[in-house]
Amino acid sequence: MSKKTVTELLAKADIKTNGKRPWDIRVLDDRFYDQVLANGSLGAGESYMEGWWECDQLDQMIERALRSKTDQELFSWRLLIDAAKAKLSNPQARWRSFRNASHHYDIGDDLYQPMLGKYMVYSCAYWKGVSRLEDAQEQKMELICKKIGLKKGMSLLDIGCGWGVFAKYVAAKYKVNVLGITVSKNQFKFATQLCENLPVEIRLQDYRDLQEKFDRIVSIGMFEHVGYKNYAQYMKVVHRCLKRDGLFLLQTIGNNRSKKQIEPWIQRYIFPNAMLPSIQQIGSASEGNFVMEDWHNFGPDYDK
């Protein structure tokens, strides 16, 4: 029964079991069908880890599954539990923030340094007119500086400063004073050493505890960890810390739909308690705090 149901669902996405096209899947263990039917996308991912199925072009297969909304039809009991948890609790509460960060960012730079390259910038690079990762990341950092009109002597707050590369870049090139905050002990240590002898302070601090005023504030790839219950508070904190004529730039991965929990696979294995905001959620949280001056989508660059 599960084999027939899963096969029919995949066929709606133009994905065949044991087909010969790059995006077709080859089932090596029939337990795959029960796992997918019971646990949805999480079951699909875990059964792949177990070697129960394979595919030559996973990205093409997943793209077809998402376009046909196959993932939504595989609505499992685990999704119901996750939805209930998201509604009843605050997974991104202050006391959880350090633990969430540790799970992902404190696992060792021996993974991140080869993956992220010279600049150790985790957020999406900007590939317009360039072909190397280093150039694309430097171009992205420079784009941010131009958008916020960074000038010598300004004060800048970097919320979720990562390994401190942007703080170092702007302090060295633009001669600005930078405060970078992170809730990752590993990133705090790395960034502190990286920015030594520059006008940069790195703190191990939750954004909710910020009180100082700044000319410019940036948040580059951190908003994904804030959570929908905290979006309004986040914007109020930024507004509180921004000088009257200041500018705030937010870079985040976005979602085309407003959701209150993340995809189960990402929740368990990649970003525990993370969440991708929609345009509506960002706009609602910003209302009454900021005037939107610019919206720039370069999401397809993330694929590279």
Side-chain angles (χ1 to χ4, degrees):
M1 180 64 182
S2 59
K3 181 176 181 177
K4 181 175 183 292
T5 301
V6 172
T7 301
E8 289 175 352
L9 280 174
L10 290 173
K12 291 181 181 180
D14 191 28
I15 301 168
K16 294 181 180 179
T17 55
N18 303 317
K20 296 182 179 180
R21 298 170 300 179
W23 59 86
D24 290 331
I25 67 171
R26 294 182 293 278
V27 179
L28 307 177
D29 190 316
D30 281 352
R31 286 179 291 177
F32 156 77
Y33 299 108
D34 290 335
Q35 182 78 331
V36 170
L37 206 58
N39 297 311
S41 61
L42 180 62
E46 290 182 335
S47 61
Y48 180 82
M49 292 166 64
E50 293 292 336
W52 294 353
W53 64 278
E54 60 187 15
C55 175
D56 293 332
Q57 292 292 335
L58 278 174
D59 57 342
Q60 292 185 33
M61 185 275 292
I62 292 171
E63 191 266 346
R64 281 169 169 75
L66 292 176
R67 277 191 180 277
S68 67
K69 299 183 179 180
T70 302
D71 60 317
Q72 295 178 42
E73 294 194 49
L74 288 168
F75 195 87
S76 69
W77 61 270
R78 291 198 187 196
L79 277 176
L80 290 172
I81 293 174
D82 289 342
K85 284 181 178 179
K87 193 166 186 176
L88 296 173
S89 66
N90 185 356
Q92 299 82 17
R94 187 195 310 257
W95 67 271
R96 286 191 174 108
S97 62
F98 288 85
R99 186 180 68 184
N100 292 339
S102 178
H103 178 94
H104 188 86
Y105 296 109
D106 292 349
I107 61 177
D109 293 338
D110 54 336
L111 166 67
Y112 290 117
Q113 285 176 330
M115 183 175 83
L116 302 179
K118 170 185 172 182
Y119 281 117
M120 289 285 283
V121 175
Y122 207 158
S123 57
C124 184
Y126 187 51
W127 289 92
K128 185 177 181 179
V130 297
S131 58
R132 298 192 314 154
L133 176 61
E134 290 80 3
D135 296 334
Q137 286 293 13
E138 183 172 343
Q139 182 169 255
K140 195 274 295 291
M141 291 191 289
E142 190 61 30
L143 178 67
I144 290 173
C145 295
K146 290 177 179 178
K147 282 182 179 289
I148 61 176
L150 208 56
K151 296 178 181 177
K152 182 179 179 180
M154 283 184 170
S155 57
L156 175 96
L157 169 64
D158 186 353
I159 303 177
C161 64
W163 286 271
V165 176
F166 183 74
K168 178 183 178 181
Y169 181 84
V170 296
K173 182 171 182 179
Y174 286 88
K175 312 301 180 186
V176 297
N177 300 299
V178 184
L179 170 62
I181 66 167
T182 177
V183 289
S184 162
K185 293 179 180 178
N186 178 58
Q187 290 183 334
F188 167 74
K189 181 179 178 182
F190 187 101
T192 299
Q193 294 174 349
L194 183 71
C195 298
E196 195 173 10
N197 301 320
L198 286 169
V200 175
E201 178 188 358
I202 304 296
R203 290 184 196 164
L204 193 61
Q205 183 179 26
D206 187 274
Y207 69 89
R208 284 162 278 217
D209 296 325
L210 289 164
Q211 297 294 335
E212 300 98 316
K213 294 277 189 180
F214 300 87
D215 295 305
R216 301 289 187 264
I217 299 177
V218 297
S219 180
I220 306 169
M222 174 271 179
F223 198 64
E224 297 87 337
H225 299 286
V226 171
Y228 83 99
K229 287 189 175 182
N230 307 302
Y231 290 156
Q233 183 184 10
Y234 179 92
M235 293 299 180
K236 287 178 181 177
V237 170
V238 174
H239 184 266
R240 178 179 75 211
C241 293
L242 195 63
K243 291 182 181 179
R244 184 177 177 85
D245 59 348
L247 289 173
F248 166 52
L249 183 142
L250 173 70
Q251 181 188 334
T252 182
I253 307 171
N255 202 329
N256 288 330
R257 291 184 295 153
S258 297
K259 292 187 175 183
K260 295 183 178 179
Q261 71 269 358
I262 201 165
E263 202 279 330
W265 168 263
I266 297 175
Q267 164 67 21
R268 173 167 290 191
Y269 292 102
I270 309 299
F271 283 119
N273 297 322
M275 194 172 296
L276 305 184
S278 68
I279 292 174
Q280 182 186 52
Q281 288 170 327
I282 294 173
S284 178
S286 301
E287 191 172 318
N289 293 306
F290 301 106
V291 175
M292 179 70 71
E293 297 285 358
D294 176 57
W295 187 285
H296 186 172
N297 178 23
F298 56 102
D301 287 34
Y302 223 142
D303 189 50
K304 294 186 178 182

